């Protein structure tokens, strides 16, 4: 099993550009999550999904959108990139208690 | 409002010493308290977790101590090793099932020889 995979690993965006961060898991987990990690601020939940077709906002959803058309994939969309969205983004999935995290995407918005 | 407060922000421990990281929570509905370990450039990974029906859980050199009345829990790393150098996050979750975790801000641990 590959676990949770994320692409790309790194990306530099210009202000106003859009992009999609990809996340996939092969563990057949119903629950998936997107977090952002800023230095000294811990992990902040952006969006999460309890199954295909169902998504809900987390603590910091503004500026992001998600969709969940399959169990495996949970992409995160940035429509109008802003410098405040410079961060490391982690996708995670879970079945019961344990959340499994992907390796992260480091995004810089200039 | 920060639901899980973690301290210290950073910690330096001598090899062989005990590392102690503390967390306090507000919500009495929280019923699952994990600790995650994160190495540079990697995603966090579950280290150890506890539920409020026990006051302590030990796995190898790692121990969680839980104080329900004080709404506090802590991670103790015995015989700390340079390989333990990482960022540690406490977290909590309310209700049973897969509601999202609420994370502390993290503690950067450095174990020096």
């Amino acid at each position: 099993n590959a676990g949770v995979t994320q692409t790309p690993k790194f990306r530099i965006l210009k202000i106003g550009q859009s992009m999609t961060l990809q996340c996939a898991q092969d563990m057949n987990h119903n629950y998936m999550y997107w977090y952002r990690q800023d230095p000294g601020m811990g992990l902040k939940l952006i969006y999460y999904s309890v199954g295909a077709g169902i998504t809900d906002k987390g603590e910091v959803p503004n500026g992001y959108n998600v969709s969940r058309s399959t169990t495996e994939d949970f992409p995160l969309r940035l429509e109008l990139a802003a410098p405040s969205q410079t961060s490391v983004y982690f996708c995670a999935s879970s079945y019961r208690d344990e959340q499994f995290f992907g390796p992260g995407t480091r995004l810089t918005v200039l | 409002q920060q639901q899980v407060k973690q301290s210290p922000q950073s910690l330096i421990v001598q090899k062989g010493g005990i590392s102690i990281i503390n967390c306090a929570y507000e919500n009495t509905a929280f019923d699952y308290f994990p600790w995650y370990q994160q190495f540079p450039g990697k995603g966090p990974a579950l280290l150890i977790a506890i539920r409020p029906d026990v006051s302590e859980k030990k796995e190898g050199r790692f121990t969680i101590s839980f104080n329900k009345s004080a709404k506090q829990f802590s991670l103790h790393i015995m015989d700390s090793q340079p390989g333990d150098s990482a960022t540690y996050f406490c977290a909590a979750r309310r209700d049973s099932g897969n509601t999202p975790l609420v994370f502390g801000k993290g503690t950067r641990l450095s174990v020096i020889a």
Side-chain angles (χ1 to χ4, degrees):
Chain A
N1 286 352
V4 179
T5 57
Q6 292 183 240
T7 56
K9 292 189 186 305
F10 305 95
R11 183 72 185 269
I12 298 175
L13 280 182
K14 293 182 179 179
I15 295 173
Q17 285 186 321
S18 61
M19 77 163 294
T20 299
L21 283 67
Q22 301 291 345
C23 174
Q25 53 94 7
D26 62 359
M27 296 174 282
N28 202 33
H29 289 168
N30 284 329
Y31 291 77
M32 295 188 75
Y33 314 84
W34 274 106
Y35 294 90
R36 60 177 288 172
Q37 183 177 26
D38 301 302
M41 297 303 293
L43 293 150
K44 297 278 181 79
L45 181 67
I46 305 171
Y47 271 95
Y48 68 103
S49 169
V50 301
I54 306 170
T55 62
D56 207 348
K57 295 178 180 179
E59 183 181 0
V60 290
N62 291 344
Y64 307 95
N65 277 300
V66 293
S67 60
R68 183 95 181 271
S69 57
T70 67
T71 299
E72 294 78 18
D73 300 298
F74 191 38
L76 178 71
R77 179 81 176 164
L78 283 71
E79 290 295 347
L80 292 170
S84 61
Q85 293 176 307
T86 293
S87 189
V88 180
Y89 292 84
F90 287 100
C91 178
S93 71
S94 67
Y95 168 61
R96 293 187 184 276
D97 290 332
E98 181 175 357
Q99 286 190 6
F100 296 85
F101 284 81
T105 294
R106 183 175 294 275
L107 175 67
T108 302
V109 182
L110 300 174
Chain B
Q1 182 181 6
Q2 188 181 352
Q3 296 191 60
V4 179
K5 293 184 179 180
Q6 183 172 347
S7 62
Q9 194 170 12
S10 62
L11 181 62
I12 299 175
V13 174
Q14 293 275 353
K15 178 182 175 182
I18 302 173
S19 303
I20 301 174
I21 305 171
N22 301 298
C23 279
Y25 62 97
E26 300 282 333
N27 192 337
T28 55
F30 287 153
D31 70 349
Y32 174 68
F33 304 89
W35 285 90
Y36 279 77
Q37 180 187 54
Q38 183 182 30
F39 293 106
K42 304 292 185 182
L46 179 65
L47 182 64
I48 187 172
I50 197 168
R51 292 192 180 277
D53 53 343
V54 296
S55 61
E56 186 175 281
K57 183 174 182 180
K58 184 176 181 179
E59 291 184 1
R61 296 183 294 109
F62 301 92
T63 300
I64 298 179
S65 297
F66 184 80
N67 186 329
K68 188 174 181 178
S69 61
K71 292 188 287 185
Q72 295 175 345
F73 59 110
S74 59
L75 176 69
H76 296 235
I77 306 175
M78 311 299 289
D79 186 26
S80 298
Q81 299 297 313
D84 297 330
S85 297
T87 299
Y88 293 81
F89 294 96
C90 63
R93 187 183 69 205
R94 59 180 175 84
D95 303 324
S96 56
N98 279 296
T99 54
L101 289 167
V102 177
F103 284 87
K105 292 188 175 182
T107 296
R108 179 172 289 184
L109 171 66
S110 297
V111 181
I112 57 175

